[in-house]
Amino acid sequence: MTARAHDHVWRNWSGLEQAVPRQVETPASVAAVVDAVRRAREDGTTVKMAGTGHSFTAIAAPEHTLLRPDALSGVLAVDREAMTVTARAGTPLKDLNLALERLGLSLHNMGDIAEQTLAGATSTGTHGTGGTAAGLAAQLAGLELVTGTGEVLRASATEHPDVFDVARVGLGALGILTSLTFHVEPLFVVEAHEQPMTWERALGSYDEMVAAAHHVDMYWFPHTDRLLVKQNVRTDLEPGEQRPPSRLASWWEDELVSNSVFGGLCRAGSRVPALVPRINRLAGRALSERRYSDLAHRVFVTPRRVRFREMEYAVPREVGLDVLRECRRVIDASDWRIAFPVEVRTARADDVPLSTAHGRDSLYLAFHVPAGTDHRPFFGGLEPLLREAGGRPHWGKVHTRTAADLAPAYERFGDVLAMRERLDPDRVFANAHLRRVLGD
């Protein structure tokens, strides 16, 4: 289905980026994607498949033709012997989680937002924390994409392995993903332990907690000495034996406190920045401890209804806590008023060339501001520190890096550029953002 879109505006979730495509299409088959790509190549234009816009950058912003992924959704195949599941690339992660639950299966790990399409989440290096693999891309067993010449390529460790190697995190620059195959495992239950901690206790026991729990996630409230620490441990409970929070408790914590009340506090802090430190101190003292168990995806994923802008950097694990301490020193010495917690996660090294965890264990530091707030003073004030520490920016989150200074951060950056030249020689998938981070 094709529609003229001179008056159509594409916006990302945070509202930070927008674009006006010349044409909007909703392909319902791989053949329709191939046709759109071939037309763009023949016309000397560009085409982008945009997901749900949950990237905070313009990485998916269309310059000419926008392809909507809505009709490319759903599970295609289940291989219980190989323990893999193949789904169309436009499938939202939340829908895959539900489909896997019905099949008695689960992904190994994921982030705390599940609104993204599978293509968007993997292509930008979306990750969770801990586990044997934190990133979604590191859990891929295969993929199918349409190249810039209109060729349909299926890639895995045994079929076009060189393409599979780099296309797992391809930034949308190597082709349009049409299906993805994930390694999966039997559905499992996670016990969650959430508790408030002081700064010194949390950082002093962090390595011990990471060693003891499968997944650790911390949130520091700027202008305070308080953190919320989440430790998630895989259990031997069978699905059906879990003890999730009651509906009332879930509504109170996840909807009222984490979204409604938090959103109201952010709006108050935006109107009167001087109130932010006091609000954060109240929020930190109001934190309570709770334990519950539930299916993995229900524990990992939480609703996020308060819109924000985010910058996240992966720094080497061995210096990560020192970098966090230095970030706190800079924040404390500034006149910034930061209403959102700073999130701290870890990832084991993986072999995906453009993964932020490529070749090294990493600690992730994520910084947020409300969607309507000018993020540049805060993010710009911390980014040089993170970069100096060897940090790599999350591909889907705000940063100012360019190809010239990203190349030294990734030892296989040149391999990715060579594959881009091979798969998209005419830059059918290019846009301004990709020209900045990958060059032209």
Side-chain angles (χ1 to χ4, degrees):
M1 184 170 66
T2 302
R4 291 291 175 185
H6 294 290
D7 58 350
H8 178 86
V9 179
W10 170 89
R11 292 183 178 88
N12 65 349
W13 179 79
S14 70
L16 184 59
E17 300 290 348
Q18 66 179 41
V20 181
R22 301 282 189 86
Q23 188 165 291
V24 178
E25 301 180 23
T26 307
S29 65
V30 175
V33 175
V34 169
D35 181 58
V37 171
R38 287 179 174 168
R39 279 187 279 111
R41 188 186 186 206
E42 291 169 2
D43 295 342
T45 60
T46 59
V47 58
K48 299 296 293 182
M49 176 82 84
T52 56
H54 256 273
S55 290
F56 296 87
T57 69
I59 193 168
E63 292 186 341
H64 188 275
T65 300
L66 167 63
L67 300 186
R68 296 282 190 193
D70 307 58
L72 294 174
S73 182
V75 171
L76 293 171
V78 180
D79 187 333
R80 292 187 180 272
E81 183 176 348
M83 287 301 283
T84 61
V85 169
T86 301
R88 292 183 178 90
T91 308
L93 180 57
K94 61 183 180 181
D95 291 352
L96 178 65
N97 285 336
L98 291 175
L100 290 177
E101 180 183 336
R102 289 192 291 268
L103 293 165
L105 301 170
S106 175
L107 294 173
H108 172 70
N109 205 346
M110 66 196 74
D112 62 0
I113 296 176
E115 303 300 319
Q116 313 98 312
T117 62
L118 300 182
T122 54
S123 294
T124 56
T126 295
H127 63 90
T129 185
T132 57
L136 285 175
Q139 299 171 62
L140 283 175
L143 55 86
E144 179 185 82
L145 57 75
V146 177
T147 73
T149 60
E151 180 183 5
V152 179
L153 275 182
R154 295 176 180 85
S156 66
T158 57
E159 186 178 14
H160 299 293
D162 54 343
V163 174
F164 178 68
D165 183 32
V166 300
R168 288 174 289 174
V169 175
L171 313 187
L174 307 179
I176 294 178
L177 292 169
T178 50
S179 69
L180 293 157
T181 301
F182 288 91
H183 292 291
V184 294
E185 55 188 281
L187 192 63
F188 61 96
V189 174
V190 169
E191 181 180 58
H193 182 198
E194 302 174 2
Q195 61 182 320
M197 285 190 188
T198 64
W199 173 271
E200 291 301 329
R201 181 187 171 197
L203 271 63
S205 61
Y206 185 71
D207 291 340
E208 180 182 340
M209 289 189 292
V210 169
H214 295 101
H215 313 274
V216 177
D217 197 353
M218 300 199 309
Y219 299 84
W220 169 57
F221 291 80
H223 319 298
T224 80
D225 196 44
R226 307 289 288 179
L227 296 91
L228 176 65
V229 179
K230 297 184 177 183
Q231 300 173 72
N232 297 326
V233 178
R234 294 174 64 122
T235 73
D236 294 327
L237 296 174
E238 293 293 328
E241 297 178 343
Q242 69 269 23
R243 294 186 176 181
S246 67
R247 286 188 179 181
L248 178 59
S250 181
W251 171 80
W252 179 269
E253 292 286 345
D254 298 328
E255 288 295 341
L256 183 65
V257 175
S258 297
N259 285 292
S260 299
V261 173
F262 181 65
L265 292 174
C266 284
R267 288 190 293 273
S270 295
R271 287 194 296 268
V272 187
L275 291 177
V276 168
R278 185 182 304 173
I279 290 171
N280 285 5
R281 286 193 294 271
L282 288 172
R285 284 197 293 268
L287 296 173
S288 59
E289 184 172 4
R290 67 169 177 166
R291 290 179 184 270
Y292 63 93
S293 60
D294 211 337
L295 299 177
H297 70 89
R298 297 180 190 169
V299 174
F300 292 144
V301 176
T302 53
R304 290 284 184 265
R305 310 200 198 289
V306 180
R307 301 202 179 218
F308 54 87
R309 300 174 182 179
E310 181 176 357
M311 175 180 73
E312 182 177 51
Y313 263 77
V315 297
R317 176 70 176 84
E318 62 272 18
V319 300
L321 293 181
D322 289 335
V323 176
L324 174 59
R325 292 186 180 97
E326 182 63 12
C327 287
R328 177 177 180 177
R329 187 195 66 76
V330 173
I331 291 171
D332 288 346
S334 75
D335 59 359
W336 305 324
R337 294 296 177 259
I338 311 304
F340 267 78
V342 173
E343 187 176 14
V344 183
R345 296 182 285 178
T346 61
R348 293 190 185 184
D350 63 42
D351 65 351
V352 183
L354 283 187
S355 165
T356 46
H358 177 257
R360 70 185 193 196
D361 292 349
S362 300
L363 185 137
Y364 290 94
L365 299 173
F367 307 90
H368 314 73
V369 297
T373 301
D374 184 0
H375 62 277
R376 291 171 294 184
F378 179 36
F379 292 178
L382 292 182
E383 192 172 26
L385 186 163
L386 298 163
R387 177 179 171 181
E388 185 178 345
R392 297 166 175 165
H394 189 300
W395 293 108
K397 298 177 184 179
V398 177
H399 66 90
T400 63
R401 305 287 289 274
T402 66
D405 62 64
L406 284 166
Y410 290 91
E411 56 191 59
R412 296 194 55 199
F413 200 80
D415 295 341
V416 177
L417 297 187
M419 185 60 69
R420 184 190 188 200
E421 191 64 32
R422 170 182 155 190
L423 298 184
D424 187 22
D426 303 302
R427 302 296 186 264
V428 174
F429 307 122
N431 61 14
H433 184 85
L434 290 179
R435 294 183 194 101
R436 174 165 70 84
V437 300
L438 293 178
D440 211 9

